[in-house]
Every structure is written in structure tokens, then in C-alpha cells.
PDB file of all heavy atoms in Angstrom:
ATOM      1  N   THR A  18      71.631  70.982 103.794  1.00  0.00           N
ATOM      2  CA  THR A  18      71.086  70.098 104.829  1.00  0.00           C
ATOM      3  C   THR A  18      72.076  69.716 105.917  1.00  0.00           C
ATOM      4  O   THR A  18      71.667  69.253 106.982  1.00  0.00           O
ATOM      5  CB  THR A  18      70.569  68.796 104.194  1.00  0.00           C
ATOM      6  OG1 THR A  18      71.687  68.084 103.634  1.00  0.00           O
ATOM      7  CG2 THR A  18      69.545  69.090 103.105  1.00  0.00           C
ATOM      8  N   GLY A  19      73.372  69.848 105.635  1.00  0.00           N
ATOM      9  CA  GLY A  19      74.384  69.376 106.577  1.00  0.00           C
ATOM     10  C   GLY A  19      74.601  67.881 106.516  1.00  0.00           C
ATOM     11  O   GLY A  19      75.364  67.320 107.312  1.00  0.00           O
ATOM     12  N   ILE A  20      73.961  67.211 105.575  1.00  0.00           N
ATOM     13  CA  ILE A  20      74.059  65.749 105.453  1.00  0.00           C
ATOM     14  C   ILE A  20      75.122  65.406 104.411  1.00  0.00           C
ATOM     15  O   ILE A  20      75.031  65.814 103.256  1.00  0.00           O
ATOM     16  CB  ILE A  20      72.711  65.138 105.028  1.00  0.00           C
ATOM     17  CG1 ILE A  20      71.617  65.499 106.038  1.00  0.00           C
ATOM     18  CG2 ILE A  20      72.835  63.625 104.878  1.00  0.00           C
ATOM     19  CD1 ILE A  20      70.210  65.172 105.564  1.00  0.00           C
ATOM     20  N   GLU A  21      76.113  64.627 104.809  1.00  0.00           N
ATOM     21  CA  GLU A  21      77.147  64.205 103.868  1.00  0.00           C
ATOM     22  C   GLU A  21      76.687  62.955 103.115  1.00  0.00           C
ATOM     23  O   GLU A  21      75.777  62.247 103.552  1.00  0.00           O
ATOM     24  CB  GLU A  21      78.454  63.926 104.609  1.00  0.00           C
ATOM     25  CG  GLU A  21      79.052  65.149 105.258  1.00  0.00           C
ATOM     26  CD  GLU A  21      80.380  64.876 105.933  1.00  0.00           C
ATOM     27  OE1 GLU A  21      80.938  63.776 105.705  1.00  0.00           O
ATOM     28  OE2 GLU A  21      80.850  65.740 106.682  1.00  0.00           O
ATOM     29  N   LEU A  22      77.338  62.699 101.998  1.00  0.00           N
ATOM     30  CA  LEU A  22      76.954  61.580 101.145  1.00  0.00           C
ATOM     31  C   LEU A  22      78.142  60.673 100.879  1.00  0.00           C
ATOM     32  O   LEU A  22      79.232  61.137 100.554  1.00  0.00           O
ATOM     33  CB  LEU A  22      76.399  62.084  99.807  1.00  0.00           C
ATOM     34  CG  LEU A  22      75.193  63.015  99.889  1.00  0.00           C
ATOM     35  CD1 LEU A  22      74.815  63.508  98.498  1.00  0.00           C
ATOM     36  CD2 LEU A  22      74.005  62.326 100.551  1.00  0.00           C
ATOM     37  N   GLU A  23      77.906  59.375 101.016  1.00  0.00           N
ATOM     38  CA  GLU A  23      78.893  58.376 100.640  1.00  0.00           C
ATOM     39  C   GLU A  23      78.320  57.603  99.456  1.00  0.00           C
ATOM     40  O   GLU A  23      77.266  56.978  99.562  1.00  0.00           O
ATOM     41  CB  GLU A  23      79.165  57.411 101.795  1.00  0.00           C
ATOM     42  CG  GLU A  23      80.098  56.265 101.423  1.00  0.00           C
ATOM     43  CD  GLU A  23      80.310  55.298 102.573  1.00  0.00           C
ATOM     44  OE1 GLU A  23      80.959  55.690 103.559  1.00  0.00           O
ATOM     45  OE2 GLU A  23      79.801  54.165 102.491  1.00  0.00           O
ATOM     46  N   PHE A  24      79.001  57.675  98.310  1.00  0.00           N
ATOM     47  CA  PHE A  24      78.524  57.029  97.093  1.00  0.00           C
ATOM     48  C   PHE A  24      79.201  55.681  96.881  1.00  0.00           C
ATOM     49  O   PHE A  24      80.406  55.558  97.053  1.00  0.00           O
ATOM     50  CB  PHE A  24      78.804  57.915  95.876  1.00  0.00           C
ATOM     51  CG  PHE A  24      77.963  59.151  95.807  1.00  0.00           C
ATOM     52  CD1 PHE A  24      78.435  60.347  96.316  1.00  0.00           C
ATOM     53  CD2 PHE A  24      76.704  59.119  95.237  1.00  0.00           C
ATOM     54  CE1 PHE A  24      77.662  61.500  96.255  1.00  0.00           C
ATOM     55  CE2 PHE A  24      75.932  60.257  95.161  1.00  0.00           C
ATOM     56  CZ  PHE A  24      76.404  61.455  95.676  1.00  0.00           C
ATOM     57  N   ARG A  25      78.406  54.704  96.479  1.00  0.00           N
ATOM     58  CA  ARG A  25      78.928  53.433  95.998  1.00  0.00           C
ATOM     59  C   ARG A  25      78.427  53.273  94.569  1.00  0.00           C
ATOM     60  O   ARG A  25      77.232  53.088  94.342  1.00  0.00           O
ATOM     61  CB  ARG A  25      78.472  52.278  96.894  1.00  0.00           C
ATOM     62  CG  ARG A  25      78.912  52.474  98.346  1.00  0.00           C
ATOM     63  CD  ARG A  25      78.692  51.243  99.191  1.00  0.00           C
ATOM     64  NE  ARG A  25      79.139  51.487 100.566  1.00  0.00           N
ATOM     65  CZ  ARG A  25      79.269  50.541 101.486  1.00  0.00           C
ATOM     66  NH1 ARG A  25      78.994  49.287 101.179  1.00  0.00           N
ATOM     67  NH2 ARG A  25      79.668  50.841 102.706  1.00  0.00           N
ATOM     68  N   ASP A  26      79.327  53.411  93.609  1.00  0.00           N
ATOM     69  CA  ASP A  26      78.981  53.473  92.193  1.00  0.00           C
ATOM     70  C   ASP A  26      79.254  52.142  91.497  1.00  0.00           C
ATOM     71  O   ASP A  26      80.350  51.598  91.606  1.00  0.00           O
ATOM     72  CB  ASP A  26      79.780  54.582  91.500  1.00  0.00           C
ATOM     73  CG  ASP A  26      79.476  55.953  92.073  1.00  0.00           C
ATOM     74  OD1 ASP A  26      78.338  56.427  91.915  1.00  0.00           O
ATOM     75  OD2 ASP A  26      80.385  56.548  92.681  1.00  0.00           O
ATOM     76  N   ALA A  27      78.254  51.637  90.791  1.00  0.00           N
ATOM     77  CA  ALA A  27      78.399  50.436  89.975  1.00  0.00           C
ATOM     78  C   ALA A  27      77.223  50.433  89.010  1.00  0.00           C
ATOM     79  O   ALA A  27      76.483  51.420  88.906  1.00  0.00           O
ATOM     80  CB  ALA A  27      78.451  49.180  90.836  1.00  0.00           C
ATOM     81  N   ASN A  28      77.012  49.320  88.283  1.00  0.00           N
ATOM     82  CA  ASN A  28      75.895  49.320  87.341  1.00  0.00           C
ATOM     83  C   ASN A  28      74.591  48.902  88.021  1.00  0.00           C
ATOM     84  O   ASN A  28      74.583  48.421  89.156  1.00  0.00           O
ATOM     85  CB  ASN A  28      76.204  48.445  86.120  1.00  0.00           C
ATOM     86  CG  ASN A  28      76.357  46.976  86.464  1.00  0.00           C
ATOM     87  OD1 ASN A  28      75.542  46.393  87.175  1.00  0.00           O
ATOM     88  ND2 ASN A  28      77.411  46.362  85.962  1.00  0.00           N
ATOM     89  N   ASP A  29      73.492  49.106  87.303  1.00  0.00           N
ATOM     90  CA  ASP A  29      72.156  48.868  87.849  1.00  0.00           C
ATOM     91  C   ASP A  29      72.012  47.475  88.462  1.00  0.00           C
ATOM     92  O   ASP A  29      71.643  47.318  89.629  1.00  0.00           O
ATOM     93  CB  ASP A  29      71.103  49.011  86.737  1.00  0.00           C
ATOM     94  CG  ASP A  29      70.760  50.451  86.411  1.00  0.00           C
ATOM     95  OD1 ASP A  29      71.022  51.323  87.241  1.00  0.00           O
ATOM     96  OD2 ASP A  29      70.209  50.688  85.325  1.00  0.00           O
ATOM     97  N   ALA A  30      72.255  46.461  87.627  1.00  0.00           N
ATOM     98  CA  ALA A  30      72.006  45.083  88.063  1.00  0.00           C
ATOM     99  C   ALA A  30      72.904  44.687  89.217  1.00  0.00           C
ATOM    100  O   ALA A  30      72.468  44.006  90.161  1.00  0.00           O
ATOM    101  CB  ALA A  30      72.191  44.128  86.888  1.00  0.00           C
ATOM    102  N   GLU A  31      74.171  45.103  89.162  1.00  0.00           N
ATOM    103  CA  GLU A  31      75.116  44.754  90.230  1.00  0.00           C
ATOM    104  C   GLU A  31      74.650  45.300  91.572  1.00  0.00           C
ATOM    105  O   GLU A  31      74.644  44.589  92.588  1.00  0.00           O
ATOM    106  CB  GLU A  31      76.500  45.282  89.889  1.00  0.00           C
ATOM    107  CG  GLU A  31      77.561  44.965  90.930  1.00  0.00           C
ATOM    108  CD  GLU A  31      78.913  45.555  90.592  1.00  0.00           C
ATOM    109  OE1 GLU A  31      79.093  46.040  89.468  1.00  0.00           O
ATOM    110  OE2 GLU A  31      79.788  45.529  91.478  1.00  0.00           O
ATOM    111  N   LEU A  32      74.249  46.566  91.585  1.00  0.00           N
ATOM    112  CA  LEU A  32      73.837  47.179  92.842  1.00  0.00           C
ATOM    113  C   LEU A  32      72.506  46.609  93.337  1.00  0.00           C
ATOM    114  O   LEU A  32      72.325  46.381  94.538  1.00  0.00           O
ATOM    115  CB  LEU A  32      73.737  48.689  92.676  1.00  0.00           C
ATOM    116  CG  LEU A  32      75.086  49.421  92.533  1.00  0.00           C
ATOM    117  CD1 LEU A  32      74.856  50.897  92.242  1.00  0.00           C
ATOM    118  CD2 LEU A  32      75.935  49.256  93.798  1.00  0.00           C
ATOM    119  N   ALA A  33      71.566  46.389  92.416  1.00  0.00           N
ATOM    120  CA  ALA A  33      70.286  45.812  92.829  1.00  0.00           C
ATOM    121  C   ALA A  33      70.486  44.429  93.431  1.00  0.00           C
ATOM    122  O   ALA A  33      69.913  44.102  94.487  1.00  0.00           O
ATOM    123  CB  ALA A  33      69.333  45.744  91.638  1.00  0.00           C
ATOM    124  N   ASN A  34      71.293  43.618  92.771  1.00  0.00           N
ATOM    125  CA  ASN A  34      71.556  42.274  93.300  1.00  0.00           C
ATOM    126  C   ASN A  34      72.253  42.331  94.648  1.00  0.00           C
ATOM    127  O   ASN A  34      71.976  41.530  95.546  1.00  0.00           O
ATOM    128  CB  ASN A  34      72.412  41.483  92.307  1.00  0.00           C
ATOM    129  CG  ASN A  34      71.648  41.102  91.056  1.00  0.00           C
ATOM    130  OD1 ASN A  34      70.432  40.992  91.081  1.00  0.00           O
ATOM    131  ND2 ASN A  34      72.357  40.916  89.960  1.00  0.00           N
ATOM    132  N   GLN A  35      73.154  43.306  94.799  1.00  0.00           N
ATOM    133  CA  GLN A  35      73.864  43.440  96.067  1.00  0.00           C
ATOM    134  C   GLN A  35      72.892  43.793  97.194  1.00  0.00           C
ATOM    135  O   GLN A  35      72.956  43.224  98.288  1.00  0.00           O
ATOM    136  CB  GLN A  35      74.945  44.513  95.950  1.00  0.00           C
ATOM    137  CG  GLN A  35      75.768  44.686  97.227  1.00  0.00           C
ATOM    138  CD  GLN A  35      76.919  45.660  97.032  1.00  0.00           C
ATOM    139  OE1 GLN A  35      77.362  45.918  95.912  1.00  0.00           O
ATOM    140  NE2 GLN A  35      77.410  46.214  98.133  1.00  0.00           N
ATOM    141  N   ILE A  36      71.971  44.708  96.917  1.00  0.00           N
ATOM    142  CA  ILE A  36      71.005  45.103  97.944  1.00  0.00           C
ATOM    143  C   ILE A  36      70.091  43.932  98.307  1.00  0.00           C
ATOM    144  O   ILE A  36      69.779  43.703  99.480  1.00  0.00           O
ATOM    145  CB  ILE A  36      70.182  46.319  97.472  1.00  0.00           C
ATOM    146  CG1 ILE A  36      71.083  47.560  97.383  1.00  0.00           C
ATOM    147  CG2 ILE A  36      69.021  46.591  98.424  1.00  0.00           C
ATOM    148  CD1 ILE A  36      70.411  48.763  96.739  1.00  0.00           C
ATOM    149  N   VAL A  37      69.663  43.166  97.302  1.00  0.00           N
ATOM    150  CA  VAL A  37      68.816  42.000  97.575  1.00  0.00           C
ATOM    151  C   VAL A  37      69.557  41.005  98.464  1.00  0.00           C
ATOM    152  O   VAL A  37      68.992  40.466  99.425  1.00  0.00           O
ATOM    153  CB  VAL A  37      68.373  41.333  96.262  1.00  0.00           C
ATOM    154  CG1 VAL A  37      67.718  39.978  96.541  1.00  0.00           C
ATOM    155  CG2 VAL A  37      67.403  42.229  95.510  1.00  0.00           C
ATOM    156  N   GLN A  38      70.833  40.781  98.157  1.00  0.00           N
ATOM    157  CA  GLN A  38      71.621  39.852  98.968  1.00  0.00           C
ATOM    158  C   GLN A  38      71.833  40.386 100.381  1.00  0.00           C
ATOM    159  O   GLN A  38      71.818  39.624 101.356  1.00  0.00           O
ATOM    160  CB  GLN A  38      72.962  39.602  98.287  1.00  0.00           C
ATOM    161  CG  GLN A  38      72.847  38.806  96.991  1.00  0.00           C
ATOM    162  CD  GLN A  38      74.143  38.755  96.217  1.00  0.00           C
ATOM    163  OE1 GLN A  38      75.160  39.303  96.642  1.00  0.00           O
ATOM    164  NE2 GLN A  38      74.132  38.098  95.064  1.00  0.00           N
ATOM    165  N   GLU A  39      72.031  41.686 100.500  1.00  0.00           N
ATOM    166  CA  GLU A  39      72.258  42.277 101.822  1.00  0.00           C
ATOM    167  C   GLU A  39      70.983  42.304 102.650  1.00  0.00           C
ATOM    168  O   GLU A  39      71.030  42.246 103.883  1.00  0.00           O
ATOM    169  CB  GLU A  39      72.807  43.696 101.662  1.00  0.00           C
ATOM    170  CG  GLU A  39      74.218  43.749 101.083  1.00  0.00           C
ATOM    171  CD  GLU A  39      74.626  45.146 100.661  1.00  0.00           C
ATOM    172  OE1 GLU A  39      73.731  46.009 100.488  1.00  0.00           O
ATOM    173  OE2 GLU A  39      75.832  45.372 100.472  1.00  0.00           O
ATOM    174  N   GLY A  40      69.831  42.438 101.979  1.00  0.00           N
ATOM    175  CA  GLY A  40      68.552  42.459 102.677  1.00  0.00           C
ATOM    176  C   GLY A  40      68.471  43.598 103.679  1.00  0.00           C
ATOM    177  O   GLY A  40      68.923  44.716 103.416  1.00  0.00           O
ATOM    178  N   GLU A  41      67.913  43.308 104.836  1.00  0.00           N
ATOM    179  CA  GLU A  41      67.744  44.338 105.854  1.00  0.00           C
ATOM    180  C   GLU A  41      69.069  44.817 106.436  1.00  0.00           C
ATOM    181  O   GLU A  41      69.109  45.840 107.110  1.00  0.00           O
ATOM    182  CB  GLU A  41      66.849  43.820 106.975  1.00  0.00           C
ATOM    183  CG  GLU A  41      65.410  43.559 106.533  1.00  0.00           C
ATOM    184  CD  GLU A  41      64.521  43.147 107.686  1.00  0.00           C
ATOM    185  OE1 GLU A  41      65.027  43.063 108.825  1.00  0.00           O
ATOM    186  OE2 GLU A  41      63.323  42.900 107.444  1.00  0.00           O
ATOM    187  N   ALA A  42      70.148  44.085 106.161  1.00  0.00           N
ATOM    188  CA  ALA A  42      71.462  44.491 106.663  1.00  0.00           C
ATOM    189  C   ALA A  42      72.183  45.429 105.708  1.00  0.00           C
ATOM    190  O   ALA A  42      73.310  45.844 105.983  1.00  0.00           O
ATOM    191  CB  ALA A  42      72.323  43.254 106.900  1.00  0.00           C
ATOM    192  N   SER A  43      71.549  45.784 104.600  1.00  0.00           N
ATOM    193  CA  SER A  43      72.207  46.646 103.621  1.00  0.00           C
ATOM    194  C   SER A  43      72.551  47.996 104.235  1.00  0.00           C
ATOM    195  O   SER A  43      71.726  48.611 104.920  1.00  0.00           O
ATOM    196  CB  SER A  43      71.313  46.862 102.400  1.00  0.00           C
ATOM    197  OG  SER A  43      71.931  47.763 101.491  1.00  0.00           O
ATOM    198  N   PRO A  44      73.771  48.490 103.968  1.00  0.00           N
ATOM    199  CA  PRO A  44      74.121  49.825 104.452  1.00  0.00           C
ATOM    200  C   PRO A  44      73.508  50.935 103.614  1.00  0.00           C
ATOM    201  O   PRO A  44      73.596  52.107 103.981  1.00  0.00           O
ATOM    202  CB  PRO A  44      75.655  49.844 104.342  1.00  0.00           C
ATOM    203  CG  PRO A  44      75.947  48.910 103.220  1.00  0.00           C
ATOM    204  CD  PRO A  44      74.902  47.819 103.318  1.00  0.00           C
ATOM    205  N   ALA A  45      72.896  50.576 102.479  1.00  0.00           N
ATOM    206  CA  ALA A  45      72.347  51.591 101.577  1.00  0.00           C
ATOM    207  C   ALA A  45      71.159  52.307 102.208  1.00  0.00           C
ATOM    208  O   ALA A  45      70.291  51.685 102.816  1.00  0.00           O
ATOM    209  CB  ALA A  45      71.931  50.951 100.265  1.00  0.00           C
ATOM    210  N   ASP A  46      71.131  53.617 102.047  1.00  0.00           N
ATOM    211  CA  ASP A  46      69.980  54.425 102.450  1.00  0.00           C
ATOM    212  C   ASP A  46      69.122  54.790 101.241  1.00  0.00           C
ATOM    213  O   ASP A  46      67.897  54.842 101.331  1.00  0.00           O
ATOM    214  CB  ASP A  46      70.440  55.701 103.154  1.00  0.00           C
ATOM    215  CG  ASP A  46      71.180  55.429 104.436  1.00  0.00           C
ATOM    216  OD1 ASP A  46      70.570  54.889 105.374  1.00  0.00           O
ATOM    217  OD2 ASP A  46      72.397  55.736 104.505  1.00  0.00           O
ATOM    218  N   VAL A  47      69.800  55.065 100.107  1.00  0.00           N
ATOM    219  CA  VAL A  47      69.121  55.493  98.879  1.00  0.00           C
ATOM    220  C   VAL A  47      69.702  54.718  97.713  1.00  0.00           C
ATOM    221  O   VAL A  47      70.910  54.466  97.664  1.00  0.00           O
ATOM    222  CB  VAL A  47      69.303  57.014  98.651  1.00  0.00           C
ATOM    223  CG1 VAL A  47      68.722  57.441  97.309  1.00  0.00           C
ATOM    224  CG2 VAL A  47      68.660  57.804  99.785  1.00  0.00           C
ATOM    225  N   PHE A  48      68.845  54.333  96.766  1.00  0.00           N
ATOM    226  CA  PHE A  48      69.282  53.649  95.548  1.00  0.00           C
ATOM    227  C   PHE A  48      68.907  54.516  94.355  1.00  0.00           C
ATOM    228  O   PHE A  48      67.746  54.911  94.201  1.00  0.00           O
ATOM    229  CB  PHE A  48      68.613  52.280  95.448  1.00  0.00           C
ATOM    230  CG  PHE A  48      69.054  51.448  94.268  1.00  0.00           C
ATOM    231  CD1 PHE A  48      70.350  51.490  93.788  1.00  0.00           C
ATOM    232  CD2 PHE A  48      68.147  50.591  93.642  1.00  0.00           C
ATOM    233  CE1 PHE A  48      70.751  50.711  92.716  1.00  0.00           C
ATOM    234  CE2 PHE A  48      68.537  49.796  92.571  1.00  0.00           C
ATOM    235  CZ  PHE A  48      69.838  49.866  92.098  1.00  0.00           C
ATOM    236  N   LEU A  49      69.887  54.820  93.504  1.00  0.00           N
ATOM    237  CA  LEU A  49      69.676  55.578  92.275  1.00  0.00           C
ATOM    238  C   LEU A  49      70.047  54.696  91.093  1.00  0.00           C
ATOM    239  O   LEU A  49      71.140  54.131  91.070  1.00  0.00           O
ATOM    240  CB  LEU A  49      70.538  56.846  92.252  1.00  0.00           C
ATOM    241  CG  LEU A  49      70.452  57.780  93.456  1.00  0.00           C
ATOM    242  CD1 LEU A  49      71.385  58.977  93.258  1.00  0.00           C
ATOM    243  CD2 LEU A  49      69.017  58.250  93.666  1.00  0.00           C
ATOM    244  N   THR A  50      69.153  54.584  90.127  1.00  0.00           N
ATOM    245  CA  THR A  50      69.424  53.745  88.975  1.00  0.00           C
ATOM    246  C   THR A  50      69.550  54.564  87.701  1.00  0.00           C
ATOM    247  O   THR A  50      69.074  55.700  87.615  1.00  0.00           O
ATOM    248  CB  THR A  50      68.313  52.701  88.760  1.00  0.00           C
ATOM    249  OG1 THR A  50      67.098  53.376  88.381  1.00  0.00           O
ATOM    250  CG2 THR A  50      68.085  51.880  90.000  1.00  0.00           C
ATOM    251  N   GLU A  51      70.176  53.938  86.706  1.00  0.00           N
ATOM    252  CA  GLU A  51      70.248  54.543  85.385  1.00  0.00           C
ATOM    253  C   GLU A  51      68.957  54.258  84.618  1.00  0.00           C
ATOM    254  O   GLU A  51      68.422  55.119  83.936  1.00  0.00           O
ATOM    255  CB  GLU A  51      71.462  53.991  84.641  1.00  0.00           C
ATOM    256  CG  GLU A  51      71.772  54.719  83.355  1.00  0.00           C
ATOM    257  CD  GLU A  51      73.102  54.272  82.790  1.00  0.00           C
ATOM    258  OE1 GLU A  51      73.509  53.117  83.007  1.00  0.00           O
ATOM    259  OE2 GLU A  51      73.740  55.089  82.119  1.00  0.00           O
ATOM    260  N   ASN A  52      68.462  53.023  84.714  1.00  0.00           N
ATOM    261  CA  ASN A  52      67.177  52.616  84.146  1.00  0.00           C
ATOM    262  C   ASN A  52      66.335  52.014  85.260  1.00  0.00           C
ATOM    263  O   ASN A  52      66.860  51.550  86.273  1.00  0.00           O
ATOM    264  CB  ASN A  52      67.382  51.594  83.031  1.00  0.00           C
ATOM    265  CG  ASN A  52      68.057  52.178  81.810  1.00  0.00           C
ATOM    266  OD1 ASN A  52      67.439  52.846  80.994  1.00  0.00           O
ATOM    267  ND2 ASN A  52      69.357  51.935  81.670  1.00  0.00           N
ATOM    268  N   SER A  53      65.024  51.988  85.062  1.00  0.00           N
ATOM    269  CA  SER A  53      64.142  51.629  86.180  1.00  0.00           C
ATOM    270  C   SER A  53      63.978  50.146  86.481  1.00  0.00           C
ATOM    271  O   SER A  53      63.579  49.813  87.604  1.00  0.00           O
ATOM    272  CB  SER A  53      62.758  52.245  85.959  1.00  0.00           C
ATOM    273  OG  SER A  53      62.144  51.723  84.806  1.00  0.00           O
ATOM    274  N   PRO A  54      64.224  49.201  85.541  1.00  0.00           N
ATOM    275  CA  PRO A  54      63.954  47.804  85.897  1.00  0.00           C
ATOM    276  C   PRO A  54      64.635  47.319  87.167  1.00  0.00           C
ATOM    277  O   PRO A  54      64.051  46.521  87.915  1.00  0.00           O
ATOM    278  CB  PRO A  54      64.442  47.045  84.661  1.00  0.00           C
ATOM    279  CG  PRO A  54      64.166  47.976  83.528  1.00  0.00           C
ATOM    280  CD  PRO A  54      64.520  49.327  84.081  1.00  0.00           C
ATOM    281  N   SER A  55      65.854  47.775  87.437  1.00  0.00           N
ATOM    282  CA  SER A  55      66.558  47.284  88.625  1.00  0.00           C
ATOM    283  C   SER A  55      65.936  47.782  89.921  1.00  0.00           C
ATOM    284  O   SER A  55      65.933  47.075  90.929  1.00  0.00           O
ATOM    285  CB  SER A  55      68.040  47.677  88.564  1.00  0.00           C
ATOM    286  OG  SER A  55      68.718  46.892  87.610  1.00  0.00           O
TER     287      SER A  55
END
């Protein structure tokens, strides 16, 4: 695709909480979880 990837790795709950706190200002484009609840 020519698209590069920048990964931010942490656990499910930490990343989900971070995205909620960041809201619409989150730099995240895609969220990948280990388990689905987050």
C-alpha cells in the first residue's frame, strides 16, 4: 500500500482508556485489542 505504520503498544485497558481520554484529539487511526471488551 505504501502506507507506513507507527505502533503504540500497551495493554487493552490502558490503550482504551487513553483513547477515551484523548477523544476526538486522539492520534490513533486504528485500535487493535487482545480481547474484545476494551
